[in-house]
Amino acid sequence: MTLDIDALLDDPGTRILVCCGSGGVGKTTTAAALGVRAAERGRRVVVLTIDPARRLAQSLGLAELDNTPRPVAGVDTSAGGGLDAMMLDMKRTFDEVIEGHAPPGKAAQILENPFYQALSSSFAGTQEYMAMEKLGQLRAQADAGEHDWDLIVVDTPPSRSALDFLDAPQRLGSFLDGRFIRVLSAPAKAGGRAYFKVMSAAIGTATGLMTKLLGAQVLKDVQTFVAALDTMFGGFRERADATYRLLQTPGTAFLVVAAPERDALREASYFVERLEGDGMPLAGLVLNRVHTGPAEGLSAERAQAAAEELDDAGEHALTAGLLRIHADRMRLSEREKAVSSRFVQAHPDVAVVRVPARPQDVHDLAGLRAVGADLAGDSERALSS
């Protein structure tokens, strides 16, 4: 079953498009290409990226992206569409949450707290939670008429596990709601060493920073943070839950992005099963970076045999080399087909579009338009013809 990307983008009922998958499979390029194609087909699009490599800004011709959506120049707006783009600033978004929901006096106290500064910049799960938070903000601004966006494209955070985008926000929300953090705020009864064991289990990537501080000072910072945050307990999980429910509505569509590799497709399979289990609307799978040959009718075996015959005859060394390259490419293509066919067999109801591998990275709007054309199925039709 082939995924019809243009039908998905043209449907005014599609309000949020989430590109998800494990790290390194091309989610950022896919999200950017979808944004450009949708905008040039008449949608008013904002692309939210959480890619720390900042490739999206370069591809969209912007000097940089930050926490504020900015218009992208060079997009064809003749169909009435437009494109804005932004990059999640994790700490700035967390600061906005504090400033928007804490009493003024408490907000300044929280923002200056050392424990909060570590939490907001390096705590495990903060990036995913703030991606959810920013998505909720963008949708609220669009619904309130503050912006004319009718489609939000989300590039999910890079992660070893695709499921982190769904699981991490709820974990952090539960943590901030006070169960475990209130334990941290209590005096350490078992001494500093036991306290640091608890801290190490909770803080993840912030542990290195926190362990540089004296135990007593860390405890004081946590107690001060919890006291200042007391009026906000409950709100973190409520907002995470509200955005999670938004992701379950019919106006949202998930695109699982994967490369034709065993690990990436295994993660994609886990994600598909999770989305189905949670009742989230799955649009389909983008199988990215698929390798094909210019002469599909010439098998790897025949190409290799022909190359060997030329070698034995001592003739046409260049042709023999090209035949070997073709043979290697066809073997790679066959391996990819075998791996991807297992996914299709396991999930026969999931629509798929195959996007061919490119010889170089995409770095401009022209490249994104070409990827968008591939996503729309031009190359898929060529491969199947």
Side-chain angles (χ1 to χ4, degrees), residues 123-202:
F123 193 92
T126 302
Q127 190 176 53
E128 288 82 1
Y129 182 96
M130 290 304 144
M132 289 275 200
E133 183 75 35
K134 181 57 70 173
L135 172 59
Q137 291 177 9
L138 295 175
R139 177 59 185 268
Q141 291 170 8
D143 289 345
E146 298 176 24
H147 294 278
D148 60 355
W149 305 316
D150 58 20
L151 176 63
I152 303 171
V153 180
V154 181
D155 164 34
T156 56
S159 171
R160 184 189 63 80
S161 171
L163 295 176
D164 283 349
F165 177 66
L166 298 179
D167 292 334
Q170 292 185 317
R171 289 197 300 266
L172 182 62
S174 295
F175 171 76
L176 289 173
D177 274 345
R179 290 190 180 95
F180 189 55
I181 204 168
R182 289 181 190 276
V183 173
L184 293 178
S185 69
K189 297 180 180 180
R193 181 176 300 177
Y195 174 75
F196 272 116
K197 288 181 180 179
V198 177
M199 288 292 286
S200 296

Side-chain angles (χ1 to χ4, degrees), residues 281-333:
L282 172 65
L285 172 76
V286 174
L287 193 59
N288 209 10
R289 300 170 182 167
V290 175
H291 290 87
T292 60
E296 292 282 314
L298 179 60
S299 68
E301 293 76 14
R302 289 175 57 199
Q304 184 67 38
E308 292 173 356
E309 289 180 7
L310 291 175
D311 286 342
D312 293 340
E315 300 175 346
H316 305 291
L318 178 58
T319 302
L322 292 174
L323 285 167
R324 286 194 182 86
I325 292 173
H326 177 78
D328 290 342
R329 190 177 182 91
M330 291 305 297
R331 292 188 191 101
L332 175 59
S333 177

Side-chain angles (χ1 to χ4, degrees), residues 75-90:
V75 173
D76 183 357
T77 59
S78 60
L83 178 63
D84 292 344
M86 64 167 293
M87 176 179 292
L88 178 73
D89 183 327
M90 181 173 65

Side-chain angles (χ1 to χ4, degrees), residues 156-312:
T156 56
S159 171
R160 184 189 63 80
S161 171
L163 295 176
D164 283 349
F165 177 66
L166 298 179
D167 292 334
Q170 292 185 317
R171 289 197 300 266
L172 182 62
S174 295
F175 171 76
L176 289 173
D177 274 345
R179 290 190 180 95
F180 189 55
I181 204 168
R182 289 181 190 276
V183 173
L184 293 178
S185 69
K189 297 180 180 180
R193 181 176 300 177
Y195 174 75
F196 272 116
K197 288 181 180 179
V198 177
M199 288 292 286
S200 296
I203 328 234
T205 55
T207 300
L209 174 61
M210 300 301 289
T211 52
K212 292 179 182 178
L213 305 175
L214 295 174
Q217 183 61 50
V218 172
L219 183 57
K220 180 180 178 181
D221 291 340
V222 173
Q223 290 172 325
T224 303
F225 171 74
V226 171
L229 202 69
D230 186 63
T231 58
M232 296 183 63
F233 283 131
F236 289 99
R237 187 171 56 198
E238 288 177 7
R239 283 190 297 278
D241 289 346
T243 306
Y244 201 84
R245 289 191 298 271
L246 177 63
L247 295 176
Q248 294 174 308
T249 62
T252 298
F254 280 84
L255 281 176
V256 179
V257 183
E261 302 166 357
R262 184 181 60 183
D263 291 345
L265 282 170
R266 183 170 58 241
E267 284 289 329
S269 184
Y270 292 154
F271 207 95
V272 165
E273 292 167 3
R274 171 64 180 276
L275 293 175
E276 292 174 346
D278 286 7
M280 291 187 169
L282 172 65
L285 172 76
V286 174
L287 193 59
N288 209 10
R289 300 170 182 167
V290 175
H291 290 87
T292 60
E296 292 282 314
L298 179 60
S299 68
E301 293 76 14
R302 289 175 57 199
Q304 184 67 38
E308 292 173 356
E309 289 180 7
L310 291 175
D311 286 342
D312 293 340

